[in-house]
Amino acid sequence: MNPDRQSPVWHPFTQHGLGDPIPLIARGEGARLYDADGNHWIDAISSWWVTTHGHAHPRIMAATRDQSEKLDQLIFAGWTHEPAETLAAELVRITPDPLTRVFFSDSGSTSVEVALKMALGYWFNLGEDRSRILVLEHSYHGDTIGAMSVGERGVYNRAWQPLLFDVGTIPFPHEGREQATLDALDAACAQKPAAFIVEPLILGAGGMLVYPAWVLAEMRAICARHDVLFVADEVMTGWGRTGTRFACDAAGVIPDIVCLSKGLTGGAIPLAVTLCIEPIFAAHWSTDRAKTFYHSSSYTANPIACAAANANLAIWRDEPVQARIDTLGEAQAAHLAMLAHDPRVASARSLGTIAAFDIVAPDAGYLSNLAPRLIAFHRDHGVLLRPLGSTVYVMPPYCVTPADLSHIWTMIAASLDAI
Ligand SMILES: *Cc1c(COP(=O)(O)O)cnc(C)c1O
């Protein structure tokens, strides 16, 4: 623990005024994090959904070490390097054929900003006046101004509301009300918006809200029918989280634009990509400089980050990653089933490696003190867990041992008694 609050660090999504202890982590290995005194925690949420194969994975660490001795950084406007070329070619190979172009950035939020700029740039360069974005209720796409604009409005972005741009919101497809979602999307698409952005199969930060693959496929078909660009934000769902490499794979959906980040480097180094179909690239391809896609950040396609991503892709090629995901998914579903009939547990749901439920509580909003008490309980019992309001979820790295997974779920059951 680090009780010394002399630290100048201002932590994200952290209310420093509450004085919660902030553990000082020295080392990570597999699904575990260690402090300097040898205390350890099981990382039940993959350090906020990024760590897929485990912390400090030897192959990813070796790749970054190796690359760091060759080329650390390069301007990516007008110059290129081998790790980025290899990565882009491999991403195009493993995604559906229509996705032909890869634009690099450095976080999930920026990959979303790039997707929105690509969509508007496409229509602008075609000379069509289409700029409205459609979104799904309860969505989360990141914390920059543009990404917040296409996400759910609430207490976590109220101060910036005046800066957020207007979007069209489609109701979430709750069980039994899917047709209302599809009808609303169909009607909104008829108004000629630029694009529809959606988290495929599961809305993460919105509360681990799951919806069926057929709804995703229908939403995609509606966009295609109206010539509305379909943007899949796979920042959280990508790299096996939902049971298949990409969530869209399970629905047979081919988006026009895909955002990937988090597990792209196995969760080791920040990197993101926005993939798109050829017509979007073609609309920017010209001898006219005014049609250039004007977007860049300093660390676009950083070579060390690309090397980490190439190592991640090599792990997917050479190792039984899918089998690990299947095994973890079965274990998660079994642990969840044991809790599902507890009267304090509602809406037990799982998808691939993710398992979630809601705690039945009178004051269960995002700001209720349920989540901080759960976080503290688990922190004191060797588990890094971070519920979303009253929604508890487990999303560990794929290498978590059966014993560590059992410990997580045993502590969750104990926490329901304790709080
Ligand atoms: C985490 C997340 C983002 C934002 O990614 P950052 O790397 O945190 O900027 C965007 N979309 C989804 C679906 C996410 O889960």
Side-chain angles (χ1 to χ4, degrees):
M1 296 288 169
N2 171 21
D4 175 14
R5 297 313 303 134
Q6 301 306 313
S7 165
V9 176
W10 188 346
H11 289 267
F13 272 74
T14 300
Q15 180 42 271
H16 285 275
L18 295 173
D20 294 316
I22 297 180
L24 183 65
I25 297 300
R27 192 169 70 79
E29 187 182 340
R32 289 192 180 191
L33 300 165
Y34 299 83
D35 71 8
D37 302 327
N39 298 308
H40 67 80
W41 290 265
I42 305 164
D43 190 348
I45 62 160
S46 298
S47 278
W48 247 351
W49 321 346
V50 301
T51 309
T52 50
H53 311 299
H55 286 280
H57 190 283
R59 291 183 70 176
I60 298 173
M61 296 299 100
T64 58
R65 241 182 346 259
D66 189 40
Q67 181 58 39
S68 70
E69 287 167 7
K70 293 181 193 152
L71 179 66
D72 55 343
Q73 163 69 2
L74 177 72
I75 177 176
F76 209 60
W79 296 77
T80 195
H81 53 79
E82 193 274 331
E85 294 295 332
T86 302
L87 177 56
E90 188 63 8
L91 288 170
V92 167
R93 193 185 69 78
I94 66 169
T95 53
D97 290 344
L99 296 161
T100 52
R101 299 288 168 173
V102 181
F103 193 93
F104 287 93
S105 62
D106 45 25
S107 74
S109 301
T110 50
S111 73
V112 167
E113 299 282 350
V114 166
L116 300 175
K117 287 175 77 170
M118 274 181 182
L120 264 70
Y122 171 74
W123 294 114
F124 183 83
N125 283 353
L126 291 186
E128 285 200 42
D129 179 20
R130 293 175 69 159
S131 58
R132 192 169 171 79
I133 305 290
L134 301 180
V135 308
L136 199 59
E137 180 191 19
H138 303 310
S139 294
Y140 176 80
H141 296 291
D143 276 344
T144 52
I145 299 292
M148 280 193 294
S149 296
V150 293
E152 184 78 2
R153 312 294 162 98
V155 65
Y156 31 83
N157 53 34
R158 201 167 284 157
W160 310 295
Q161 202 85 349
L163 295 185
L164 306 188
F165 58 76
D166 194 31
V167 296
T169 303
I170 308 303
F172 180 80
H174 288 287
E175 195 175 349
R177 283 183 275 155
E178 295 91 349
Q179 195 56 45
T181 296
L182 300 176
D183 291 345
L185 180 62
D186 196 51
C189 281
Q191 307 298 312
K192 298 213 165 295
F196 172 55
I197 182 166
V198 69
E199 295 164 82
L201 299 187
I202 180 167
L203 274 51
M208 299 297 156
L209 302 175
V210 179
Y211 63 93
W214 71 265
V215 175
L216 180 64
E218 275 302 309
M219 293 193 299
R220 203 283 165 259
I222 289 167
C223 289
R225 210 152 55 231
H226 290 279
D227 206 13
V228 172
L229 293 173
F230 183 89
V231 183
D233 176 354
E234 293 245 21
V235 170
M236 187 276 270
T237 53
W239 309 106
R241 280 295 167 204
T242 64
T244 48
R245 176 150 32 194
F246 302 115
C248 284
D249 297 349
V253 159
I254 304 177
D256 297 310
I257 302 178
V258 183
C259 304
L260 299 174
S261 186
K262 293 195 169 126
L264 172 60
T265 60
I269 301 194
L271 184 70
V273 290
T274 308
L275 281 87
C276 72
I277 55 169
E278 193 64 14
I280 296 175
F281 178 78
H284 293 85
W285 193 97
S286 169
T287 50
D288 178 0
R289 284 184 203 280
K291 292 200 167 184
T292 303
F293 187 57
Y294 288 112
H295 184 93
S296 176
S297 51
S298 304
Y299 289 105
T300 299
N302 172 265
I304 299 172
C306 289
N310 283 324
N312 168 46
L313 283 159
I315 291 168
W316 273 87
R317 276 195 308 273
D318 309 340
E319 298 184 21
V321 177
Q322 188 61 54
R324 286 177 201 147
I325 288 166
D326 294 345
T327 305
L328 174 57
E330 284 161 25
Q332 285 272 72
H335 282 294
L336 183 66
M338 286 193 281
L339 263 189
H341 300 294
D342 189 302
R344 297 162 297 186
V345 170
S347 306
R349 51 204 184 267
S350 64
L351 180 68
T353 69
I354 307 166
F357 65 87
D358 300 336
I359 293 180
V360 179
D363 65 333
Y366 183 83
L367 292 186
S368 84
N369 66 359
L370 202 56
R373 277 151 63 211
L374 286 167
I375 291 170
F377 178 90
H378 288 282
R379 192 179 56 228
D380 294 345
H381 292 86
V383 179
L384 192 178
L385 200 79
R386 193 182 165 96
L388 294 153
S390 58
T391 300
V392 175
Y393 69 92
V394 179
M395 193 195 292
Y398 309 151
C399 64
V400 66
T401 63
D404 279 357
L405 192 64
S406 290
H407 181 74
I408 294 169
W409 284 98
T410 303
M411 286 306 123
I412 287 174
S415 72
L416 294 178
D417 296 329
I419 55 160

